Amino acid sequence: MQLIKTALVLLAGFMTVVSAAGKPNKMQGPAVREDPTLVVKYDFPRSKFAIFNSGEVGLVRINVTNTGTEIREITGVETVFTYANDPMKIISKSLPSPLTFTVLPNATIVYKHFFTSTLEAQDAVLKVLLTCYNDVEYYRILAVAAPVTIVYSDSLFDLKSIVMYIFAVILMGLTGYFFYAIFFMPTNAKPSKSAATATKTPGVKKAPVLAPAVEAAAMDKQPDMEWIPNHVAHQQKLSNSPKLKKRK
């Protein structure tokens, strides 16, 4: 009896494994292939130039159109980053996430896929894989394969940082100029108002001012009256008298 029970348990386990293998597994990562009936278009609504900050959440909008006659189901999504110079070499890969989209014939669905990049600043290729089911098998299609640029938030290529750097340089330059003008720039003495008026008035000449030596020389030319005799000095005074001048 014990052998029969053991045989039944082994048989049940074998049947479970066989039945599980016959069913498609949504999370095992099926093969990547093309589906000509699915037309995929995508864009980056938040970043037209595909530039993303490291550690921040990015958005890619995916439009899937079913041009066939059979229903397609989208059951999962996966994000992969590869090197720009070697697209087959993976940098990082996210775990598959389940989705529940049904794409009817001649219909289009819009899927907004959010992703996070923790890469270092570099050029890379963003790949988004969609897991599809066509009532026969599961397979994956490459929905997005776009070159992107990952930058740091304080990168020199960030527009806000460039503006801040320019503003800081201008402010430091103005501060240095005012400091130099206040403490080091030589100041020229302003001319007095009288001098400025004299220079601006045309036709007016300023009388020459004699130096003290010139004044002393002019005074030395006058005769010393103490050495002239009295009768000669008296005659000179009479000749200069106004009465005598009238008589003449």
Side-chain angles (χ1 to χ4, degrees), residues 59-75:
L59 171 63
V60 55
R61 183 169 51 197
I62 303 173
N63 298 336
V64 181
T65 302
N66 184 2
T67 61
T69 58
E70 298 180 357
I71 297 176
R72 292 290 186 270
E73 293 183 4
I74 300 176
T75 61

Side-chain angles (χ1 to χ4, degrees), residues 135-201:
D135 289 336
V136 177
E137 61 177 347
Y138 284 89
Y139 59 94
R140 291 182 297 173
I141 62 171
L142 184 60
V144 177
V148 296
T149 302
I150 309 299
V151 298
Y152 294 123
S153 58
D154 56 348
S155 174
L156 291 175
F157 298 98
D158 188 30
L159 182 59
K160 294 181 180 179
S161 300
I162 292 174
V163 174
M164 290 181 63
Y165 289 146
I166 294 175
F167 179 76
V169 169
I170 294 175
L171 183 61
M172 291 176 63
L174 292 176
T175 303
Y177 175 77
F178 285 122
F179 182 81
Y180 172 78
I182 294 174
F183 295 100
F184 297 100
M185 183 177 289
T187 56
N188 298 325
K190 295 182 179 181
S192 60
K193 293 183 179 180
S194 59
T197 305
T199 55
K200 292 181 179 180
T201 305

Side-chain angles (χ1 to χ4, degrees), residues 65-137:
T65 302
N66 184 2
T67 61
T69 58
E70 298 180 357
I71 297 176
R72 292 290 186 270
E73 293 183 4
I74 300 176
T75 61
V77 63
E78 185 179 349
T79 303
V80 179
F81 283 97
T82 61
Y83 290 96
N85 55 359
D86 189 2
M88 301 304 296
K89 190 174 182 180
I90 296 176
I91 304 175
S92 66
K93 182 178 180 181
S94 68
L95 295 174
S97 300
L99 294 178
T100 54
F101 286 104
T102 300
V103 188
L104 299 176
N106 299 321
T108 301
I109 65 161
V110 179
Y111 167 56
K112 295 182 179 179
H113 179 63
F114 294 91
F115 60 92
T116 303
S117 170
T118 56
L119 307 179
E120 297 181 353
Q122 61 181 305
D123 292 331
V125 177
L126 170 65
K127 296 182 179 181
V128 179
L129 301 172
L130 296 178
T131 302
C132 303
Y133 181 63
N134 61 359
D135 289 336
V136 177
E137 61 177 347

